[in-house]
Amino acid sequence: ESRTYYDIGGSQLIEAAKNNKLEKDGPSSVDWTAPLQTMYNGGQVSLAISRKVICRGCAGSNSARCNQCKERCANELETVQMRMGPMVFNQQQEVASKERCKMVSHTIVVNVERGMAAGQTVTFKALGEQRPKRLPGDVVVKLKQEDHAKFKRRGDDLHMNVDITLKQGLVGFQMSFMHLD
C-alpha cells in the first residue's frame, strides 16, 4: 500500500495516510464468473481492469507527458464558511478538480483457492480509482460460479445426474467418467 500511496502523491501522501488526515474511498466491486473446475481445483486467473490515475505534477502544465492526461478527475471536497445571520458554519461542497487524470489498464492476478464458493471475494488493496486528496479504495473481486455440463455443486460436494435403465438399476452396471480432480 505504501508504494501505491507514494506513486500517487509522494512522501506527503504517505505521511498524511499515517496520521489519518485523508479519507479512503470506498471499494470498487468487480464480478467474475469462474468455471466450476477452477473453483473446485483452484488456480490463477488474470483480469484486466481500467481505472483513473492522477497525473502527478500535471495540474496546469502543458508538457508532452501531461498531454496524455485528458480525463477529468473526480471533484474535490472543499470546506467553506457560510454565514447565516450572526452565526458562521463550516460546510463542505464539491468543486471541480484542478488535477488531471488518465485511464490506465492494469492486469490483476486472482488466486482462486481450492474449494472457493460462489459469493466469496478476493481484495486488492489500494487499486481503486484515484481521487484528489483521497486515498484510493480497494478493488474487490466477487466470484460467481459458471454452470458445468456434468456436475452440480452443493456446498463442498459435487453431484452428477445420470440416467439409467431399470435393468441397470436392478442388476447393477459399471460406468467410467472424468472427475474434476
Side-chain angles (χ1 to χ4, degrees), residues 101-170:
C101 291
K102 64 181 174 181
M103 289 300 285
V104 175
S105 294
H106 283 282
T107 301
I108 55 176
V109 178
V110 179
N111 289 319
V112 180
E113 295 178 18
R114 184 180 188 132
M116 286 186 97
Q120 287 187 305
T121 59
V122 180
T123 303
F124 295 90
K125 298 282 186 189
L127 281 182
E129 287 196 357
Q130 296 177 4
R131 294 179 62 189
K133 299 179 184 173
R134 293 183 70 103
L135 299 174
D138 302 333
V139 172
V140 178
V141 178
K142 184 176 180 181
L143 299 177
K144 291 185 176 182
Q145 183 175 297
E146 189 175 281
D147 290 334
H148 193 270
K150 291 182 184 176
F151 298 102
K152 302 282 184 218
R153 185 173 179 177
R154 292 188 196 131
D156 289 336
D157 301 324
L158 292 177
H159 293 260
M160 182 173 84
N161 290 330
V162 177
D163 292 329
I164 60 173
T165 65
L166 179 62
K167 181 180 176 185
Q168 289 173 326
L170 293 173

Side-chain angles (χ1 to χ4, degrees), residues 7-107:
D7 289 345
I8 298 167
S11 59
Q12 297 162 343
L13 188 64
I14 292 175
E15 289 300 318
K18 285 181 183 175
N19 298 331
N20 294 326
K21 292 183 180 178
L22 296 176
E23 288 185 39
K24 187 172 183 174
D25 271 348
S28 302
S29 183
V30 176
D31 290 338
W32 178 66
T33 304
L36 176 62
Q37 187 167 356
T38 302
M39 293 183 74
Y40 187 75
N41 293 324
Q44 288 186 339
V45 179
S46 297
L47 292 178
I49 60 169
S50 294
R51 66 187 186 125
K52 280 187 185 177
V53 175
I54 297 173
C55 298
R56 276 183 60 191
C58 286
S61 175
N62 286 328
S63 67
R65 180 181 70 88
C66 293
N67 286 338
Q68 299 172 6
C69 306
K70 297 178 181 172
E71 293 289 324
R72 185 172 175 266
C73 287
N75 291 340
E76 296 180 35
L77 289 177
E78 185 178 87
T79 304
V80 294
Q81 291 186 343
M82 301 289 292
R83 186 175 191 113
M84 294 180 115
M87 296 182 286
V88 177
F89 296 96
N90 285 333
Q91 182 178 349
Q92 285 189 337
Q93 60 182 205
E94 285 190 12
V95 293
S97 176
K98 295 176 182 132
E99 297 286 342
R100 293 166 75 177
C101 291
K102 64 181 174 181
M103 289 300 285
V104 175
S105 294
H106 283 282
T107 301

